[in-house]
């Protein structure tokens, strides 16, 4: 039997009756349903997330952002008590330190703390996701530990303190 | 009315375009909302709650900043103890009773790098007994762990400076020694803002062998 060449394959495709072919019709319907399914799925997921986001936003009492910084050196320490941001000053390799934020709220609130930036890798917080009672003061202590193998230089970070309706 | 395959094909193309566009926009929108700490926008909203930064900072020295190396009391030569250290002027102390140790480097330095005067306290986690393992019955002057405070730069401590000669780290339990005030007012002027802490230890020949470890913590509070 003679093997069909490329030219004859193309002419075979051209000869298909697109308008009345039931298989093609089924494939098209299937792809159409699939596309609509993907679209409705995405819209549904977005609505679900939007609802979650709106609920979360409505719980926010206050958000505070505090900058933080440290200079890592090879020797000695340098204390910085400035209150315009949470400065740790100078800390030598292998050293560490701590500094606090004083907080209070007029309403009962769930306090969530997050640390971002290149300092986050060295920092931890003594408590998180805790309740503060109305008109009371509390303190959040941030710890910093510098490993022996850290790169010396200046590091910065951003602390977010979020007060939510419990 | 029956839809032809050609119409159906156009519908499929339109559905795919709408689907891809809708899904992309949907994911982009969600991604923007989740980009920072769980759904929170970067706008400061401070009503109802306050956050203030404390005026004190606590910093811990790297323990190996002053490293005496390893060695022992030269008992074979008839010595009962070994006295060594680095004084506040960064001069090495090394007496005949020691063998093998190599005290080197600088005194511990504490700077005020802020923009306020500070009082400075020191916290040391061990005394001669708990840090060095000297026998508790050793009289002061035999086994000892001492420190001294000096201006690292002239005129740094503009208030009262404490323990400016060798001072024995108080005898006590293994728990942290209470903070000791070493300078009531440390300046922040760039050329005169630092203290030096010298260390002096005397090991006795009955000290327990092994690595010795103590932590110095300085606390500065704005005044």
């Amino acid at each position: 039997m003679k093997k069909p060449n490329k030219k004859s394959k193309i002419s075979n495709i051209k000869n298909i009756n697109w308008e009345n072919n039931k298989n093609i019709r089924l494939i098209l319907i299937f792809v159409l349903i699939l596309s609509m399914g993907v679209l409705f799925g995405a819209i549904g997921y977005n609505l679900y997330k939007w609802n979650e986001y709106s609920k979360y936003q409505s719980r926010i009492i206050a958000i505070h952002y505090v900058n933080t910084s440290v200079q890592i050196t090879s020797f000695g320490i340098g204390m910085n008590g400035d209150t315009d941001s949470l400065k740790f000053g100078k800390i030598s390799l292998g050293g560490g330190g701590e500094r606090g934020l004083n907080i209070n709220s007029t309403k009962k609130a769930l306090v969530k703390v997050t640390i971002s930036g290149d300092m986050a890798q060295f920092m931890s917080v003594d408590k998180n996701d805790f309740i503060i009672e109305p008109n009371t003061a509390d303190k959040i202590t941030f710890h910093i530990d510098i490993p022996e193998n850290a790169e010396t230089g200046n590091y910065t970070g951003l602390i977010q303190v979020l007060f939510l309706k419990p | 009315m029956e839809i032809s395959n050609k119409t159906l094909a156009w519908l499929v193309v339109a559905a795919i375009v709408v689907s891809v566009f809708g899904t992309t926009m949907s994911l982009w929108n969600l991604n923007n909302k989740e980009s920072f700490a769980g759904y929170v926008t970067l706008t400061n909203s401070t009503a109802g709650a306050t956050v203030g930064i404390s005026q004190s900072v606590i910093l811990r020295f790297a323990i190996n900043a002053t490293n005496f190396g390893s060695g022992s009391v030269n008992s074979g030569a008839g010595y009962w103890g070994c006295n060594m250290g680095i004084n506040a002027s960064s001069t090495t102390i090394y007496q005949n009773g020691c063998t093998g140790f190599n005290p080197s480097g600088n005194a511990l330095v504490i700077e005020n790098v802020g923009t306020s005067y500070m009082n400075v306290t020191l916290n040391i986690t061990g005394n001669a007994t708990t840090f060095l393992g000297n026998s508790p019955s050793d009289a002061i002057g035999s086994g000892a762990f001492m420190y001294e405070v000096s201006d690292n730069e002239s005129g740094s401590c503009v208030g009262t400076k404490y323990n400016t000669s060798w001072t024995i780290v108080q005898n006590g339990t293994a728990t942290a020694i209470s903070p000791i005030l070493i300078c009531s007012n440390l300046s922040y002027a760039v050329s005169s803002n630092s203290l030096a802490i010298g260390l002096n230890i005397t090991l006795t020949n009955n000290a327990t062998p092994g690595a010795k470890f103590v932590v110095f913590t300085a606390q500065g509070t704005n005044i």
Side-chain angles (χ1 to χ4, degrees):
Chain A
M1 200 176 152
K2 203 179 172 186
K3 203 178 170 185
N5 58 25
K6 199 177 173 183
K7 218 171 184 178
S8 67
K9 270 186 188 174
I10 292 168
S11 73
N12 283 344
I13 292 168
K14 279 181 178 171
N15 289 335
I16 293 172
N17 184 348
W18 292 89
E19 280 301 312
N20 299 319
N21 190 304
K22 283 189 175 175
N23 289 337
I24 288 173
R25 193 176 183 81
L26 283 174
I27 291 167
L28 287 172
I29 291 169
F30 176 75
V31 174
L32 183 64
I33 292 169
L34 196 67
S35 310
M36 298 308 284
V38 169
L39 179 63
F40 287 127
I43 291 169
Y45 184 67
N46 202 13
L47 286 174
Y48 165 74
K49 282 289 185 182
W50 179 256
N51 187 40
E52 217 176 42
Y53 168 72
S54 302
K55 276 186 196 166
Y56 202 85
Q57 282 284 14
S58 67
R59 284 179 61 201
I60 295 173
I61 297 169
I63 314 165
H64 287 261
Y65 295 96
V66 179
N67 289 309
T68 182
S69 61
V70 70
Q71 183 187 357
I72 300 177
T73 62
S74 52
F75 182 75
I77 59 172
M79 297 179 294
N80 191 331
D82 291 355
T83 55
D84 55 335
S85 67
L86 199 80
K87 295 169 181 166
F88 282 91
K90 287 161 66 173
I91 303 179
S92 56
L93 295 169
E98 63 183 63
R99 207 163 174 201
L101 287 181
N102 300 315
I103 61 165
N104 66 47
S105 175
T106 54
K107 297 170 185 167
K108 185 175 182 174
L110 171 66
V111 182
K112 283 178 174 281
V113 181
T114 53
I115 309 165
S116 57
D118 57 7
M119 256 179 90
Q121 60 185 313
F122 307 124
M123 287 179 72
S124 60
V125 61
D126 68 333
K127 57 182 169 183
N128 205 345
D129 293 314
F130 64 94
I131 298 285
I132 183 169
E133 295 298 330
N135 301 311
T136 58
D138 208 337
K139 186 175 181 183
I140 307 169
T141 303
F142 293 86
H143 298 269
I144 184 164
D145 288 289
I146 310 298
E148 293 278 0
N149 60 357
E151 294 270 332
T152 56
N154 294 312
Y155 291 78
T156 57
L158 183 69
I159 295 166
Q160 179 195 257
V161 185
L162 182 61
F163 296 78
L164 292 171
K165 288 175 195 163
Chain B
M1 189 187 85
E2 196 174 314
I3 299 171
S4 69
N5 276 5
K6 196 177 176 183
T7 312
L8 205 54
W10 280 115
L11 278 175
V12 167
V13 170
I16 289 171
V17 169
V18 171
S19 179
V20 168
F21 179 77
T23 307
T24 308
M25 288 303 291
S26 180
L27 292 175
W28 179 80
N29 195 21
L30 284 179
N31 190 45
N32 271 3
K33 283 186 175 53
E34 292 178 355
S35 61
F36 189 78
Y39 313 115
V40 177
T41 51
L42 264 168
T43 313
N44 239 343
S45 153
T46 57
T50 61
V51 170
I53 297 165
S54 75
Q55 295 198 32
S56 77
V57 56
I58 297 173
L59 297 182
R60 195 174 64 242
F61 281 100
I63 303 309
N64 63 357
T66 300
N67 192 340
F68 293 169
S70 60
S72 61
V73 177
N74 195 357
S75 304
Y79 292 97
W80 60 265
C82 155
N83 174 236
M84 62 183 167
I86 293 165
N87 72 14
S89 306
S90 293
T91 305
T92 299
I93 303 159
Y94 195 66
Q95 305 287 354
N96 287 337
C98 306
T99 180
F101 292 109
N102 181 28
S104 61
N106 297 304
L108 303 174
V109 174
I110 301 170
E111 277 181 273
N112 179 359
V113 294
T115 55
S116 299
Y117 291 98
M118 287 185 140
N119 71 34
V120 182
T121 60
L122 199 61
N123 197 305
I124 306 167
T125 57
N127 58 26
T129 304
T130 55
F131 166 38
L132 301 173
N134 286 324
S135 167
S137 61
D138 288 341
I140 292 169
S142 49
F145 173 32
M146 302 184 287
Y147 69 97
E148 66 174 2
V149 179
S150 171
D151 278 338
N152 187 51
E153 295 163 311
S154 180
S156 292
C157 184
V158 292
T160 308
K161 198 161 53 212
Y162 298 87
N163 304 328
T164 52
S165 58
W166 291 119
T167 304
I168 290 177
V169 178
Q170 70 178 74
N171 289 310
T173 63
T175 55
I177 308 296
S178 303
I180 310 150
L181 182 64
I182 57 172
C183 174
S184 65
N185 192 346
L186 179 61
S187 167
Y188 59 89
V190 175
S191 57
S192 53
N193 65 346
S194 62
L195 300 170
I197 313 291
L199 302 179
N200 185 329
I201 63 174
T202 303
L203 275 172
T204 54
N205 55 13
N206 64 354
T208 52
K212 307 298 183 186
F213 185 82
V214 70
V215 177
F216 277 72
T217 306
Q219 176 164 4
T221 304
N222 289 352
I223 51 176

mmCIF file of all heavy atoms in Angstrom, chain B residues 52-87:
data_model
loop_
_atom_site.group_PDB
_atom_site.id
_atom_site.type_symbol
_atom_site.label_atom_id
_atom_site.label_comp_id
_atom_site.label_asym_id
_atom_site.label_seq_id
_atom_site.Cartn_x
_atom_site.Cartn_y
_atom_site.Cartn_z
ATOM 1 N N GLY B 52 4.583 52.760 71.167
ATOM 2 C CA GLY B 52 5.725 53.616 71.479
ATOM 3 C C GLY B 52 6.987 52.798 71.615
ATOM 4 O O GLY B 52 6.939 51.619 71.997
ATOM 5 N N ILE B 53 8.100 53.388 71.304
ATOM 6 C CA ILE B 53 9.375 52.659 71.357
ATOM 7 C C ILE B 53 10.025 52.927 72.708
ATOM 8 O O ILE B 53 10.124 54.079 73.145
ATOM 9 C CB ILE B 53 10.279 53.099 70.199
ATOM 10 C CG1 ILE B 53 9.601 52.725 68.872
ATOM 11 C CG2 ILE B 53 11.657 52.464 70.296
ATOM 12 C CD1 ILE B 53 10.177 53.380 67.660
ATOM 13 N N SER B 54 10.429 51.875 73.376
ATOM 14 C CA SER B 54 11.013 52.031 74.704
ATOM 15 C C SER B 54 12.347 52.766 74.605
ATOM 16 O O SER B 54 13.019 52.715 73.574
ATOM 17 C CB SER B 54 11.215 50.663 75.360
ATOM 18 O OG SER B 54 12.311 50.022 74.778
ATOM 19 N N GLN B 55 12.699 53.425 75.694
ATOM 20 C CA GLN B 55 13.919 54.247 75.654
ATOM 21 C C GLN B 55 15.145 53.483 76.095
ATOM 22 O O GLN B 55 16.198 54.073 76.335
ATOM 23 C CB GLN B 55 13.723 55.463 76.549
ATOM 24 C CG GLN B 55 12.624 56.373 76.038
ATOM 25 C CD GLN B 55 12.731 57.747 76.640
ATOM 26 O OE1 GLN B 55 13.799 58.240 76.929
ATOM 27 N NE2 GLN B 55 11.594 58.383 76.844
ATOM 28 N N SER B 56 15.028 52.184 76.248
ATOM 29 C CA SER B 56 16.215 51.431 76.646
ATOM 30 C C SER B 56 16.519 50.343 75.626
ATOM 31 O O SER B 56 15.635 49.900 74.893
ATOM 32 C CB SER B 56 16.021 50.829 78.034
ATOM 33 O OG SER B 56 15.198 49.705 77.971
ATOM 34 N N VAL B 57 17.778 49.986 75.582
ATOM 35 C CA VAL B 57 18.218 48.939 74.673
ATOM 36 C C VAL B 57 19.205 48.061 75.421
ATOM 37 O O VAL B 57 20.016 48.546 76.212
ATOM 38 C CB VAL B 57 18.820 49.541 73.369
ATOM 39 C CG1 VAL B 57 19.948 50.498 73.664
ATOM 40 C CG2 VAL B 57 19.285 48.473 72.409
ATOM 41 N N ILE B 58 19.068 46.752 75.215
ATOM 42 C CA ILE B 58 19.962 45.795 75.870
ATOM 43 C C ILE B 58 20.777 45.101 74.785
ATOM 44 O O ILE B 58 20.203 44.573 73.827
ATOM 45 C CB ILE B 58 19.162 44.747 76.676
ATOM 46 C CG1 ILE B 58 18.382 45.436 77.786
ATOM 47 C CG2 ILE B 58 20.074 43.664 77.229
ATOM 48 C CD1 ILE B 58 17.421 44.526 78.532
ATOM 49 N N LEU B 59 22.084 45.113 74.925
ATOM 50 C CA LEU B 59 22.929 44.443 73.930
ATOM 51 C C LEU B 59 23.890 43.477 74.622
ATOM 52 O O LEU B 59 24.376 43.734 75.725
ATOM 53 C CB LEU B 59 23.729 45.465 73.119
ATOM 54 C CG LEU B 59 22.906 46.452 72.273
ATOM 55 C CD1 LEU B 59 23.826 47.361 71.483
ATOM 56 C CD2 LEU B 59 21.950 45.732 71.335
ATOM 57 N N ARG B 60 24.139 42.384 73.938
ATOM 58 C CA ARG B 60 24.966 41.302 74.489
ATOM 59 C C ARG B 60 26.272 41.236 73.706
ATOM 60 O O ARG B 60 26.274 41.326 72.477
ATOM 61 C CB ARG B 60 24.179 40.000 74.316
ATOM 62 C CG ARG B 60 24.652 38.836 75.097
ATOM 63 C CD ARG B 60 23.695 37.668 74.931
ATOM 64 N NE ARG B 60 23.634 37.174 73.575
ATOM 65 C CZ ARG B 60 22.553 37.168 72.811
ATOM 66 N NH1 ARG B 60 21.418 37.664 73.261
ATOM 67 N NH2 ARG B 60 22.588 36.676 71.599
ATOM 68 N N PHE B 61 27.360 41.102 74.438
ATOM 69 C CA PHE B 61 28.652 40.972 73.766
ATOM 70 C C PHE B 61 28.802 39.590 73.165
ATOM 71 O O PHE B 61 28.325 38.600 73.724
ATOM 72 C CB PHE B 61 29.800 41.151 74.767
ATOM 73 C CG PHE B 61 30.079 42.579 75.097
ATOM 74 C CD1 PHE B 61 29.592 43.133 76.261
ATOM 75 C CD2 PHE B 61 30.836 43.358 74.246
ATOM 76 C CE1 PHE B 61 29.853 44.450 76.578
ATOM 77 C CE2 PHE B 61 31.102 44.683 74.553
ATOM 78 C CZ PHE B 61 30.610 45.227 75.720
ATOM 79 N N ALA B 62 29.535 39.548 72.063
ATOM 80 C CA ALA B 62 29.955 38.248 71.553
ATOM 81 C C ALA B 62 30.947 37.678 72.562
ATOM 82 O O ALA B 62 31.840 38.385 73.018
ATOM 83 C CB ALA B 62 30.623 38.420 70.209
ATOM 84 N N ILE B 63 30.752 36.447 72.940
ATOM 85 C CA ILE B 63 31.565 35.879 74.015
ATOM 86 C C ILE B 63 33.025 35.745 73.610
ATOM 87 O O ILE B 63 33.919 35.896 74.426
ATOM 88 C CB ILE B 63 31.006 34.495 74.429
ATOM 89 C CG1 ILE B 63 29.548 34.649 74.840
ATOM 90 C CG2 ILE B 63 31.811 33.876 75.551
ATOM 91 C CD1 ILE B 63 29.287 35.736 75.837
ATOM 92 N N ASN B 64 33.271 35.507 72.347
ATOM 93 C CA ASN B 64 34.660 35.304 71.946
ATOM 94 C C ASN B 64 35.373 36.620 71.632
ATOM 95 O O ASN B 64 36.461 36.628 71.100
ATOM 96 C CB ASN B 64 34.758 34.366 70.750
ATOM 97 C CG ASN B 64 34.086 34.939 69.545
ATOM 98 O OD1 ASN B 64 33.497 36.017 69.629
ATOM 99 N ND2 ASN B 64 34.172 34.258 68.426
ATOM 100 N N ALA B 65 34.677 37.764 71.932
ATOM 101 C CA ALA B 65 35.320 39.048 71.667
ATOM 102 C C ALA B 65 36.612 39.168 72.474
ATOM 103 O O ALA B 65 37.559 39.799 72.055
ATOM 104 C CB ALA B 65 34.375 40.185 71.999
ATOM 105 N N THR B 66 36.610 38.583 73.647
ATOM 106 C CA THR B 66 37.845 38.516 74.425
ATOM 107 C C THR B 66 38.102 37.045 74.666
ATOM 108 O O THR B 66 37.440 36.406 75.456
ATOM 109 C CB THR B 66 37.689 39.256 75.769
ATOM 110 O OG1 THR B 66 37.379 40.613 75.461
ATOM 111 C CG2 THR B 66 38.949 39.197 76.573
ATOM 112 N N ASN B 67 39.072 36.527 73.966
ATOM 113 C CA ASN B 67 39.300 35.095 74.008
ATOM 114 C C ASN B 67 40.672 34.838 74.620
ATOM 115 O O ASN B 67 41.676 35.318 74.127
ATOM 116 C CB ASN B 67 39.239 34.556 72.573
ATOM 117 C CG ASN B 67 39.181 33.060 72.555
ATOM 118 O OD1 ASN B 67 39.548 32.415 73.520
ATOM 119 N ND2 ASN B 67 38.726 32.509 71.448
ATOM 120 N N PHE B 68 40.647 34.071 75.682
ATOM 121 C CA PHE B 68 41.908 33.810 76.381
ATOM 122 C C PHE B 68 42.583 32.523 75.910
ATOM 123 O O PHE B 68 43.619 32.141 76.434
ATOM 124 C CB PHE B 68 41.673 33.739 77.902
ATOM 125 C CG PHE B 68 41.257 35.054 78.514
ATOM 126 C CD1 PHE B 68 40.781 35.113 79.811
ATOM 127 C CD2 PHE B 68 41.355 36.243 77.795
ATOM 128 C CE1 PHE B 68 40.406 36.325 80.380
ATOM 129 C CE2 PHE B 68 40.987 37.462 78.350
ATOM 130 C CZ PHE B 68 40.505 37.499 79.646
ATOM 131 N N GLY B 69 41.997 31.855 74.967
ATOM 132 C CA GLY B 69 42.592 30.598 74.488
ATOM 133 C C GLY B 69 42.443 29.495 75.522
ATOM 134 O O GLY B 69 41.608 29.576 76.429
ATOM 135 N N SER B 70 43.224 28.441 75.416
ATOM 136 C CA SER B 70 43.128 27.350 76.388
ATOM 137 C C SER B 70 44.486 27.108 77.035
ATOM 138 O O SER B 70 45.534 27.358 76.436
ATOM 139 C CB SER B 70 42.621 26.079 75.712
ATOM 140 O OG SER B 70 43.511 25.693 74.687
ATOM 141 N N GLY B 71 44.460 26.653 78.272
ATOM 142 C CA GLY B 71 45.708 26.412 79.007
ATOM 143 C C GLY B 71 45.397 25.924 80.404
ATOM 144 O O GLY B 71 44.295 25.415 80.659
ATOM 145 N N SER B 72 46.345 26.078 81.293
ATOM 146 C CA SER B 72 46.141 25.595 82.657
ATOM 147 C C SER B 72 47.051 26.356 83.620
ATOM 148 O O SER B 72 47.902 27.149 83.204
ATOM 149 C CB SER B 72 46.452 24.098 82.724
ATOM 150 O OG SER B 72 47.810 23.882 82.376
ATOM 151 N N VAL B 73 46.850 26.081 84.907
ATOM 152 C CA VAL B 73 47.739 26.617 85.938
ATOM 153 C C VAL B 73 49.032 25.816 85.886
ATOM 154 O O VAL B 73 49.017 24.584 85.775
ATOM 155 C CB VAL B 73 47.080 26.493 87.330
ATOM 156 C CG1 VAL B 73 48.029 26.975 88.412
ATOM 157 C CG2 VAL B 73 45.761 27.260 87.367
ATOM 158 N N ASN B 74 50.142 26.512 85.935
ATOM 159 C CA ASN B 74 51.434 25.825 85.840
ATOM 160 C C ASN B 74 51.814 25.242 87.200
ATOM 161 O O ASN B 74 52.763 25.697 87.875
ATOM 162 C CB ASN B 74 52.484 26.829 85.340
ATOM 163 C CG ASN B 74 53.745 26.151 84.856
ATOM 164 O OD1 ASN B 74 53.863 24.922 84.954
ATOM 165 N ND2 ASN B 74 54.681 26.931 84.342
ATOM 166 N N SER B 75 51.066 24.223 87.610
ATOM 167 C CA SER B 75 51.274 23.620 88.932
ATOM 168 C C SER B 75 52.649 22.968 89.031
ATOM 169 O O SER B 75 53.259 22.935 90.113
ATOM 170 C CB SER B 75 50.203 22.556 89.201
ATOM 171 O OG SER B 75 48.929 23.109 89.069
ATOM 172 N N GLY B 76 53.122 22.457 87.909
ATOM 173 C CA GLY B 76 54.421 21.779 87.893
ATOM 174 C C GLY B 76 55.557 22.691 88.334
ATOM 175 O O GLY B 76 56.558 22.233 88.891
ATOM 176 N N ALA B 77 55.376 23.987 88.091
ATOM 177 C CA ALA B 77 56.418 24.939 88.484
ATOM 178 C C ALA B 77 56.125 25.521 89.868
ATOM 179 O O ALA B 77 56.774 26.490 90.283
ATOM 180 C CB ALA B 77 56.505 26.045 87.454
ATOM 181 N N GLY B 78 55.134 24.951 90.537
ATOM 182 C CA GLY B 78 54.849 25.351 91.909
ATOM 183 C C GLY B 78 53.833 26.476 92.059
ATOM 184 O O GLY B 78 53.674 27.024 93.146
ATOM 185 N N TYR B 79 53.133 26.822 90.992
ATOM 186 C CA TYR B 79 52.135 27.900 91.085
ATOM 187 C C TYR B 79 50.770 27.351 91.516
ATOM 188 O O TYR B 79 50.360 26.270 91.082
ATOM 189 C CB TYR B 79 51.997 28.618 89.744
ATOM 190 C CG TYR B 79 53.228 29.411 89.369
ATOM 191 C CD1 TYR B 79 54.176 28.870 88.507
ATOM 192 C CD2 TYR B 79 53.451 30.676 89.899
ATOM 193 C CE1 TYR B 79 55.325 29.587 88.171
ATOM 194 C CE2 TYR B 79 54.585 31.396 89.569
ATOM 195 C CZ TYR B 79 55.512 30.854 88.702
ATOM 196 O OH TYR B 79 56.641 31.560 88.384
ATOM 197 N N TRP B 80 50.063 28.095 92.346
ATOM 198 C CA TRP B 80 48.709 27.695 92.785
ATOM 199 C C TRP B 80 47.612 28.319 91.910
ATOM 200 O O TRP B 80 46.474 27.917 91.931
ATOM 201 C CB TRP B 80 48.470 28.101 94.242
ATOM 202 C CG TRP B 80 48.588 29.585 94.467
ATOM 203 C CD1 TRP B 80 49.705 30.254 94.894
ATOM 204 C CD2 TRP B 80 47.587 30.582 94.256
ATOM 205 N NE1 TRP B 80 49.468 31.605 94.940
ATOM 206 C CE2 TRP B 80 48.165 31.839 94.563
ATOM 207 C CE3 TRP B 80 46.259 30.551 93.836
ATOM 208 C CZ2 TRP B 80 47.474 33.038 94.460
ATOM 209 C CZ3 TRP B 80 45.556 31.742 93.739
ATOM 210 C CH2 TRP B 80 46.169 32.980 94.046
ATOM 211 N N GLY B 81 47.990 29.370 91.146
ATOM 212 C CA GLY B 81 46.969 30.052 90.346
ATOM 213 C C GLY B 81 47.553 30.727 89.128
ATOM 214 O O GLY B 81 48.784 30.831 88.980
ATOM 215 N N CYS B 82 46.661 31.137 88.247
ATOM 216 C CA CYS B 82 47.052 31.790 86.994
ATOM 217 C C CYS B 82 46.220 33.057 86.847
ATOM 218 O O CYS B 82 44.994 32.994 86.859
ATOM 219 C CB CYS B 82 46.785 30.825 85.837
ATOM 220 S SG CYS B 82 46.529 31.601 84.239
ATOM 221 N N ASN B 83 46.888 34.180 86.756
ATOM 222 C CA ASN B 83 46.187 35.461 86.621
ATOM 223 C C ASN B 83 46.409 36.019 85.213
ATOM 224 O O ASN B 83 47.540 36.110 84.745
ATOM 225 C CB ASN B 83 46.728 36.452 87.664
ATOM 226 C CG ASN B 83 46.143 37.840 87.466
ATOM 227 O OD1 ASN B 83 46.889 38.803 87.303
ATOM 228 N ND2 ASN B 83 44.826 37.947 87.477
ATOM 229 N N MET B 84 45.329 36.343 84.547
ATOM 230 C CA MET B 84 45.455 36.883 83.176
ATOM 231 C C MET B 84 44.241 37.753 82.841
ATOM 232 O O MET B 84 43.229 37.726 83.549
ATOM 233 C CB MET B 84 45.574 35.744 82.171
ATOM 234 C CG MET B 84 44.385 34.839 82.138
ATOM 235 S SD MET B 84 44.647 33.485 81.000
ATOM 236 C CE MET B 84 43.297 32.423 81.457
ATOM 237 N N GLY B 85 44.354 38.470 81.767
ATOM 238 C CA GLY B 85 43.227 39.300 81.345
ATOM 239 C C GLY B 85 43.653 40.369 80.358
ATOM 240 O O GLY B 85 44.773 40.356 79.843
ATOM 241 N N ILE B 86 42.707 41.270 80.111
ATOM 242 C CA ILE B 86 42.956 42.439 79.252
ATOM 243 C C ILE B 86 42.361 43.613 79.991
ATOM 244 O O ILE B 86 41.152 43.606 80.299
ATOM 245 C CB ILE B 86 42.296 42.248 77.876
ATOM 246 C CG1 ILE B 86 42.988 41.104 77.130
ATOM 247 C CG2 ILE B 86 42.377 43.530 77.056
ATOM 248 C CD1 ILE B 86 42.226 40.594 75.946
ATOM 249 N N ASN B 87 43.184 44.587 80.331
ATOM 250 C CA ASN B 87 42.617 45.684 81.114
ATOM 251 C C ASN B 87 41.869 46.673 80.225
ATOM 252 O O ASN B 87 41.826 46.511 79.001
ATOM 253 C CB ASN B 87 43.693 46.346 81.998
ATOM 254 C CG ASN B 87 44.674 47.163 81.183
ATOM 255 O OD1 ASN B 87 44.439 47.457 80.014
ATOM 256 N ND2 ASN B 87 45.798 47.532 81.806
#
